[in-house]
Amino acid sequence: MNHNDPTPFLRIEGVHKFYGADHILRGIDLSVRRGEVVCILGRSGSGKSTLLRTVNALEPITAGRVILDGSLIGYIEKGGCLYHLPAEELARQRARIGMVFQHFNLFPHMTVLENITMAPQLVLKQTRKAAEAQAMELLEKVGLADKAYAYPASLSGGQQQRVAIARALAMRPELILFDEPTSALDPELVGEVLGVMRQLASEGMTMLIVTHELRFARDVSHKVVLMHEGRVAESGPTSKVMSAPRTPAAKTFFSTLT
Ligand SMILES: Nc1ncnc2c1ncn2[C@@H]1O[C@H](COP(=O)(O)OP(=O)(O)OP(=O)(O)O)[C@@H](O)[C@H]1O
Ligand SMILES: [Mg+2]
């Protein structure tokens, strides 16, 4: 892990986002270093998902920029103006960024193995044999080697989410975005998904995670970012922000943490 590398791998600079007249993101600055685990926290409606979606250009932005490893995400700059990136280049950028959502979005008509091997074959041009060998390794890693030929509907929510994580990993991403990956799960299934994420973190994966799991954030993340009404209310090293919040929004938010 080299999260002591001072150069940010991901930089979000002055990002604003409007939906019609609604000013949803109001000037967000945030950086993530390689190997760093950053949790985005905040109340419902504070803009967490919208912000996460700007990172892989699922959400066009009104102002500001998102830079991954030195390259503008989603746009190209010419003569001081930003233009949308051509679809092919956008796809290349997105292949570097994994995304795991609250709802697993597995393809229901495909087996677990097919779900995991599809994108590596299509996008990375892996052979079926290579993609399947990699998928089996990843299934082993998330504890589901025996489910390769199962269909998603026959799996629990926790198992489906672990498949979704394996599917994201199969693209060998350099950064993974998680949007409330455990929010749709029954409480007894949350731990197995957080366990896989914890393991990824310890292996040095760069992760940007929207979560309501404050204990997980406290135990696993290097940095937390508290969003409040479209702004970063407070951010910094996890232990510092969570044990001694400075701003009123953060004090209120973390007062529920035991
Ligand atoms: N497609 C959209 N069109 C218009 N407004 C939207 C759209 N998506 C989100 N919003 C608004 O943007 C604000 C922020 O939404 P966002 O989903 O980013 O919040 P969040 O922090 O992820 O909340 P939650 O914890 O409930 O997931 C909300 O007020 C929401 O209503
Ligand atoms: Mg959300």
Side-chain angles (χ1 to χ4, degrees):
M1 178 156 27
N2 55 351
H3 61 265
N4 291 324
D5 177 355
T7 322
F9 181 53
L10 171 70
R11 276 189 291 151
I12 297 174
E13 293 180 353
V15 164
H16 287 259
K17 167 79 185 174
F18 282 85
Y19 281 122
D22 294 335
H23 198 175
I24 304 296
L25 298 179
R26 298 169 172 238
I28 304 285
D29 295 300
L30 192 162
S31 63
V32 181
R33 291 178 290 189
R34 274 191 197 270
E36 204 171 34
V37 178
V38 177
C39 281
I40 302 176
L41 311 172
R43 286 212 299 249
S44 183
S46 56
K48 305 180 299 294
S49 296
T50 307
L51 176 64
L52 203 69
R53 289 161 55 84
T54 65
V55 173
N56 57 0
L58 283 172
E59 205 71 76
I61 55 184
T62 318
R65 53 189 63 202
V66 178
I67 298 161
L68 184 77
D69 200 13
S71 301
L72 265 183
I73 288 286
Y75 298 89
I76 183 163
E77 189 162 18
K78 270 188 204 153
C81 293
L82 297 186
Y83 300 91
H84 286 283
L85 210 59
E88 222 171 77
E89 279 178 58
L90 185 59
R92 251 200 302 277
Q93 285 187 338
R94 284 189 176 142
R96 300 176 69 181
I97 306 171
M99 183 134 193
V100 176
F101 299 91
Q102 179 174 351
H103 298 285
F104 331 116
N105 304 327
L106 297 175
F107 295 111
H109 59 289
M110 291 184 182
T111 64
V112 162
L113 194 65
E114 287 164 349
N115 263 283
I116 299 173
T117 55
M118 192 184 75
Q121 291 179 83
L122 273 178
V123 182
L124 304 182
K125 309 294 178 206
Q126 287 182 7
T127 63
R128 182 170 157 182
K129 201 173 162 203
E132 288 186 353
Q134 176 184 255
M136 290 310 298
E137 271 174 37
L138 291 170
L139 282 172
E140 192 82 46
K141 187 184 179 88
V142 301
L144 291 172
D146 57 332
K147 299 293 186 189
Y149 300 99
Y151 283 86
S154 71
L155 304 180
S156 73
Q159 291 171 333
Q160 289 186 54
Q161 192 59 301
R162 284 185 283 149
V163 172
I165 293 173
R167 183 178 58 175
L169 290 172
M171 292 296 287
R172 302 174 190 269
E174 293 166 79
L175 164 71
I176 306 186
L177 312 174
F178 292 86
D179 194 354
E180 298 198 33
T182 60
S183 294
L185 300 177
D186 292 335
E188 72 272 20
L189 303 178
V190 167
E192 65 192 53
V193 172
L194 293 183
V196 168
M197 292 169 65
R198 198 182 285 263
Q199 188 193 337
L200 285 179
S202 71
E203 291 168 0
M205 177 58 78
T206 312
M207 298 158 79
L208 187 55
I209 306 168
V210 173
T211 184
H212 290 289
E213 298 286 341
L214 295 188
R215 282 167 196 279
F216 172 81
R218 183 176 62 186
D219 295 347
V220 178
S221 66
H222 302 107
K223 190 162 111 181
V224 292
V225 174
L226 178 70
M227 301 242 342
H228 184 67
E229 297 176 350
R231 291 193 173 87
V232 174
E234 194 163 330
S235 71
T238 302
S239 54
K240 204 167 161 187
V241 174
M242 290 181 86
S243 61
R246 290 175 292 105
T247 59
K251 282 181 180 163
T252 306
F253 187 82
F254 292 117
S255 65
T256 54
L257 186 62
T258 50

